[in-house]
Amino acid sequence: HCNIQYSPNYGVALESNAYFTAFTNNNLANITNHPIKLDANSAHTIGTGNTITGSSSTKGIYVDGGTFDKASETWLAQTVPYVLNGTIYIQSSAGSQLTIEAGVTISFTQGSQIDVSYGSGTYGTIIANGTSSAPITFTSASPSPTAGDWDAIFLEDGTSSNTSFDYCVFEYGGGYNAYTGIIDVTNANISINHSSIQHSTTYGITLNDASYFGTFDNNTFSDCATYPISIYGNYAHTIGANNTFNTTLGPRVNEDELSQTGTVTWHKLNMPYYIDGTLYIQSTSGTTLNIEPGTQIKFTQDRKSTRLNSSHTDITRMPSSA
C-alpha cells in the first residue's frame, strides 16, 4: 500500500537474488527508468494489486538474465510487461517449474531468450496457459518491433512433457540464427494450442531430433520468413488438423525414418507438406502412413535425393466420398 514515485532511476531495485517477502497494492508512478528491477529467481515475489502509471508505464519490470531454479512458482499478471534481458534458464537437478499467469506480457531485449533445461542433468517445465480474453504474449521490447529482435524460447532435452502453451502469442523473435525458430525444441515433446506464431525472421517452430507435439491444434502462423514448422518425418503426424498457415510455405518434413509401429496419419492442412530429403517409411513390424484427402505434398530441390522410400509398408490415401 505504498506510493513509489518521481525517481530519476529505478523505483525499486533488488540485487543479487534479493526478493520481496510481500509486495502488494503498491503504486509506482513517474519513474524515469524501469519501475522495478530484479533477478529471474525473484520475479515471482511481485504480488497482486500493484499499479504502474504515468511515465513508468512505458517501461516494464526489468528481469535480469540468470537461473530460475525454484520448485514451482508463478509470474503474476501486472499492469506492465516483464522485460527480460539476457538468458533466463529454467532448470535444476530436481526439476523447476515456472508458470506464467494468463494476461502476462513478456518482452525481450535484443538477443534475449528463455532456455529450459540447458544444463546437463537438469529438468524444467514452463506452463503458459492464457485464455481467449487474456492471452500470454512473448514479444519484442523494442518500441518499433521487427522480426528477429529477440532470440527464441529453447526447450532442451530435460524439458518436461507437462510444458504447455495455450492461448499465447509469439512474435518478433527468431533472431538466434538462420536455423532456429521463435520456439526451438530438442528431444522433447510439448503442447501448443490456440496460439499465434508470427513475425519471425526465420522459422516459426523448429523441432530437432526426437521432438514432437503432445497436442498441436488451433494455431495460426503468419509472416515467417522460411517454413512455419520444421519437424522430422517420424513425428510429422503430431501436427494437428486444425491449424492455419497464413504463410508462403507449409511445414518442412526433414529426412528421417518414419518407423512408427502401426498407423499414423498426416492431416490435411491449408498448405502443403514439404519433404526435404529421403523419408523412409518402414519398420520391422510394418508401418502404415495414411494421408488425408486433399493433402498436398511437395518435394524440395535443394537436396541430392528427395523422395519417399517405402519398404514393407503401406502408403495409403484415406477414402473420400469426393
Side-chain angles (χ1 to χ4, degrees):
H1 303 282
C2 291
N3 292 317
I4 303 164
Q5 55 192 6
Y6 301 112
S7 170
N9 205 328
Y10 300 103
V12 182
L14 286 77
E15 308 288 351
S16 302
N17 287 318
Y19 60 92
F20 297 114
T21 54
F23 192 83
T24 60
N25 301 298
N26 300 296
N27 177 52
L28 297 93
N30 300 308
I31 295 164
T32 301
N33 209 324
H34 296 271
I36 303 172
K37 175 183 181 294
L38 74 180
D39 297 311
N41 228 18
S42 307
H44 65 279
T45 65
I46 302 174
T48 60
N50 303 294
T51 58
I52 298 174
T53 59
S55 60
S56 307
S57 63
T58 63
K59 294 179 180 287
I61 297 165
Y62 186 96
V63 182
D64 259 327
T67 300
F68 171 86
D69 61 4
K70 303 296 184 182
S72 180
E73 298 292 353
T74 300
W75 287 9
L76 301 175
Q78 307 295 334
T79 57
V80 296
Y82 294 85
V83 180
L84 273 55
N85 184 62
T87 301
I88 291 182
Y89 299 95
I90 301 171
Q91 60 187 39
S92 66
S93 58
S96 295
Q97 177 174 301
L98 176 60
T99 299
I100 300 171
E101 190 175 52
V104 166
T105 293
I106 295 180
S107 59
F108 297 78
T109 62
Q110 186 77 35
S112 294
Q113 60 191 41
I114 291 174
D115 205 325
V116 181
S117 301
Y118 172 78
S120 176
T122 63
Y123 305 92
T125 304
I126 182 169
I127 297 176
N129 292 336
T131 66
S132 58
S133 59
I136 295 168
T137 301
F138 300 87
T139 189
S140 167
S142 171
S144 301
T146 58
D149 276 352
W150 58 283
D151 283 359
I153 297 173
F154 293 96
L155 305 167
E156 312 278 358
D157 299 47
T159 301
S160 164
S161 59
N162 291 329
T163 292
S164 172
F165 300 93
D166 199 12
Y167 289 103
C168 291
V169 177
F170 305 88
E171 60 184 10
Y172 300 114
Y176 184 71
N177 62 32
Y179 312 103
T180 302
I182 295 180
I183 302 171
D184 184 78
V185 189
T186 300
N187 288 324
N189 73 88
I190 61 169
S191 293
I192 304 177
N193 298 286
H194 307 102
S195 295
S196 297
I197 300 94
Q198 58 197 26
H199 310 309
S200 173
T201 193
T202 54
Y203 300 89
I205 303 174
T206 43
L207 295 98
N208 310 297
D209 304 327
S211 298
Y212 60 93
F213 297 115
T215 57
F216 190 80
D217 268 307
N218 299 295
N219 302 298
T220 301
F221 290 82
S222 58
D223 190 26
C224 297
T226 57
Y227 297 93
I229 298 174
S230 176
I231 190 169
Y232 279 86
N234 205 33
Y235 307 101
H237 65 279
T238 65
I239 300 172
N242 302 308
N243 299 290
T244 302
F245 296 90
N246 297 323
T247 50
T248 56
L249 299 169
R252 185 180 79 170
V253 180
N254 298 310
E255 62 180 353
D256 196 10
E257 181 177 77
L258 198 166
S259 58
Q260 296 277 352
T261 299
T263 300
V264 297
T265 299
W266 284 11
H267 300 290
K268 178 183 180 297
L269 308 176
N270 70 310
M271 290 294 288
Y273 295 85
Y274 287 79
I275 296 180
D276 187 30
T278 300
L279 177 62
Y280 296 92
I281 305 171
Q282 59 191 25
S283 67
T284 55
S285 55
T287 297
T288 296
L289 172 61
N290 279 340
I291 300 174
E292 288 188 340
T295 298
Q296 294 184 63
I297 296 177
K298 294 188 176 183
F299 298 84
T300 65
Q301 297 179 343
D302 56 352
R303 302 296 294 272
K304 290 182 179 179
S305 176
T306 302
R307 61 186 180 178
L308 284 172
N309 190 315
S310 175
S311 174
H312 302 294
T313 62
D314 296 315
I315 306 174
T316 67
R317 180 182 184 278
M318 296 177 70
S320 171
S321 59

